[in-house]
Amino acid sequence: MKYITLADHAVRTYAPDKIFTASQKAKADIAGLGEDAVINSTLGECIDDEGKLMVLPTVEKMLRSMPVEEMCSYAPIAGIPGFNEAVQISLFGEISKRFHVESVPTPGGCGALRHAVWNFLDNGDAMLTTDWFWGPYRNICEEHGRFLKSFEMFNDQNTFHIEAMDKAVGELLSQQKQLLLALNTPANNPTGYSMTKEEMDQVIAVLRRYALEYPDKKLTLCLDASYIDFDAGFCESREIFESIHDMPENMMVLVIFSMSKSYTMCGMRCGAFVCLGETAEAAQEFKAAMSYSSRSVWSNVIRSAQRVLVDINLNPEVKAQVDQERLEFSNLISKRGKAFYHEAGRIGLSCCPYKHGYFIAVPCENPDKVAEYLCRKHVYVVPQAKGLRFSPCAVTMEKCLRAPELIKEAIQNVGD
Ligand code: PLP
């Protein structure tokens, strides 16, 4: 108690972030044994076959040639001129013709998630998501006096479990005035699953049904599309947006947009919280409320990253160049992921259904123990509630092919 003046709600143990802890251990191991002897599949950053962080060359050039005033001066709270247009072009390939889109810059997708949890739920409410989810979802909820509830992500066909979602939505709506459903797709973290257009049609149909059944409740679907540019091709990955139409007045769809992945700028902390409004009035109301929140939490968001986003997307030639550079990155990561997935299949190690992206999940009992066992074999993965997360984005093809056998052996040995 000595000299501790924290308020009651702030007294809590901080379990070191599992991802960063595993990564630190792996780095220490590499320092002792060398790169080749260790498989460090922990962080969600793209690393090339020489062990270097992959940064889009055009982004690097733009950052290095940026005038210092552009880097250091304040940006407007609601984004620099062109920000909202640039977000739409990045997400949809054009200024949206179907929605009234408003967006606010946020410190990464994390900031956007924070705004969602704070502004679209009441104190003590729960946000709903799939049972395979990115760990910080829970922290962000709890930091803001909310909770996290989940439903089974996959059915026995290994496709999206719409019935489980339907049931969980119904249960939450019987307890809360509003629903916030977060779905991380395409290229879900930690599974690499991408929902199909048909699955998204079903999600919208379920929400529409509940919205009509409970006209006095509010339903928000928050699509965490942080990995959208590491999915299948542009058109296929955007098909999920086609599902969003004819929403009742008590329903809204929001999108989490991250520059960490699409522009390889993880450390520059920029993203956006985006509203796909059915009316201009709804979109304006969103922007005003989120701007209030931004001003009260982080004020404005890093200007240089916004500059990069605008200068790429408002210039078709530069955009085409960046799209080509990114495609090469994304192809490499998916090739590694598929190599792991096929090798796992060949040797009988079962994985969650991987489609694209940075991560693959391997279900198992005792994930913490299996991860510890793997550390002793110099393989570093991230334990999750229901299994292990492996990151093809961070390891070479050769290691993606080598890892499944080691993981299978670890699961068997810990199980025994
Ligand atoms: N959503 C998911 C599912 C993520 O995995 C991440 C980052 O790893 C984010 C959102 C937010 O990323 P950032 O804040 O770096 O944009």
Side-chain angles (χ1 to χ4, degrees):
M1 202 29 208
K2 271 187 196 163
Y3 304 114
I4 296 169
T5 60
L6 287 165
D8 288 350
H9 74 88
V11 180
R12 51 215 160 149
T13 46
Y14 175 66
D17 186 289
K18 285 186 178 179
I19 301 176
F20 288 102
T21 308
S23 156
Q24 289 309 320
K25 282 194 200 165
K27 283 181 183 157
D29 209 4
I30 289 169
L33 293 175
E35 191 75 52
D36 289 349
V38 178
I39 300 183
N40 178 9
S41 165
T42 53
L43 287 186
E45 285 180 326
C46 295
I47 307 291
D48 69 15
D49 287 352
E50 275 71 55
K52 268 186 64 189
L53 183 71
M54 291 160 70
V55 179
L56 294 168
T58 300
V59 167
E60 180 179 354
K61 242 182 262 159
M62 289 173 116
L63 286 171
R64 289 192 188 280
S65 61
M66 195 173 287
V68 70
E69 296 77 11
E70 192 61 42
M71 284 193 236
C72 295
S73 55
Y74 282 127
I77 306 274
I80 64 170
F83 183 82
N84 188 40
E85 290 76 12
V87 167
Q88 293 178 63
I89 293 168
S90 191
L91 271 177
F92 310 121
E94 60 181 9
I95 307 285
S96 177
K97 296 188 187 83
R98 301 187 41 233
F99 305 107
H100 297 268
V101 176
E102 283 294 352
S103 57
V104 287
T106 54
C110 269
L113 283 161
R114 182 268 162 208
H115 271 10
V117 163
W118 180 250
N119 290 290
F120 292 85
L121 288 175
D122 276 332
N123 265 344
D125 281 352
M127 178 173 93
L128 185 64
T129 193
T130 52
D131 59 353
W132 287 98
F133 64 89
W134 183 51
Y137 275 16
R138 189 188 295 286
N139 300 80
I140 296 171
C141 287
E142 292 179 357
E143 175 69 6
H144 294 91
R146 280 77 167 128
F147 300 92
L148 190 74
K149 281 206 174 142
S150 63
F151 60 90
E152 221 174 319
M153 183 168 175
F154 299 113
N155 55 25
D156 52 15
Q157 310 290 307
N158 254 350
T159 58
F160 186 78
H161 203 328
I162 189 71
E163 292 81 12
M165 187 203 92
D166 189 336
K167 184 161 172 279
V169 169
E171 280 168 10
L172 258 192
L173 277 173
S174 69
Q175 296 156 13
Q176 298 182 182
K177 205 170 77 202
Q178 48 219 348
L179 174 88
L180 176 62
L181 170 65
L183 295 179
N184 173 212
T185 191
N188 171 269
N189 177 4
T191 64
Y193 188 70
S194 297
M195 290 175 66
T196 61
K197 156 88 169 47
E198 291 67 35
E199 287 171 336
M200 193 55 71
D201 284 344
Q202 291 176 328
V203 167
I204 298 292
V206 166
L207 294 179
R208 195 183 286 126
R209 195 185 79 229
Y210 279 114
L212 294 170
E213 188 181 333
Y214 292 103
D216 53 343
K217 303 215 177 196
K218 300 171 185 174
L219 288 81
T220 311
L221 170 61
C222 181
L223 281 179
D224 182 348
S226 293
Y227 295 92
I228 195 162
D229 288 318
F230 285 79
D231 189 42
F234 185 89
C235 295
E236 202 181 317
S237 61
R238 270 64 181 179
E239 279 180 352
I240 49 171
F241 295 123
E242 300 298 319
S243 306
I244 304 164
H245 54 82
D246 297 325
M247 289 184 296
E249 286 179 10
N250 53 339
M251 202 177 141
M252 168 75 98
V253 179
L254 307 172
V255 180
I256 306 288
F257 170 82
S258 166
M259 287 188 73
S260 299
K261 328 294 169 191
S262 295
Y263 296 87
T264 59
M265 291 170 73
C266 331
M268 295 201 70
R269 312 306 309 133
C270 191
F273 194 25
V274 188
C275 158
L276 309 188
E278 288 280 327
T279 63
E281 188 196 0
Q284 283 306 326
E285 185 84 15
F286 166 90
K287 184 152 187 160
M290 295 315 111
S291 298
Y292 189 105
S293 239
S294 298
R295 184 68 189 97
S296 324
V297 186
W298 49 69
S299 180
N300 64 111
V301 171
I302 182 164
R303 186 184 186 96
S304 50
Q306 296 183 49
R307 182 82 270 146
V308 168
L309 187 75
V310 170
D311 286 355
I312 290 173
N313 285 285
L314 269 46
N315 181 334
E317 249 173 59
V318 184
K319 181 177 179 333
Q321 171 71 24
V322 170
D323 286 348
Q324 185 52 39
E325 292 169 4
R326 189 192 299 112
L327 187 63
E328 285 169 27
F329 284 17
S330 148
N331 284 343
L332 173 70
I333 304 306
S334 284
K335 243 191 228 162
R336 288 181 186 164
K338 286 184 177 165
F340 179 103
Y341 192 58
H342 288 130
E343 178 59 12
R346 193 185 70 77
I347 64 164
L349 171 71
S350 93
C351 301
C352 290
Y354 175 83
K355 303 284 180 201
H356 289 279
Y358 283 37
F359 308 109
I360 288 192
V362 181
C364 68
E365 301 293 324
N366 299 316
D368 286 304
K369 283 197 180 144
V370 178
E372 264 171 44
Y373 180 101
L374 280 166
C375 285
R376 296 198 289 278
K377 303 283 173 192
H378 314 290
V379 178
Y380 294 84
V381 296
V382 179
Q384 309 263 302
K386 299 187 69 182
L388 308 172
R389 187 187 83 175
F390 186 86
S391 312
C393 63
V395 301
T396 60
M397 178 68 91
E398 185 274 320
K399 290 179 183 179
C400 282
L401 288 168
R402 188 146 52 92
E405 187 66 55
L406 296 164
I407 295 174
K408 184 179 171 197
E409 181 198 302
I411 293 173
Q412 279 170 348
N413 286 343
V414 170
D416 294 345

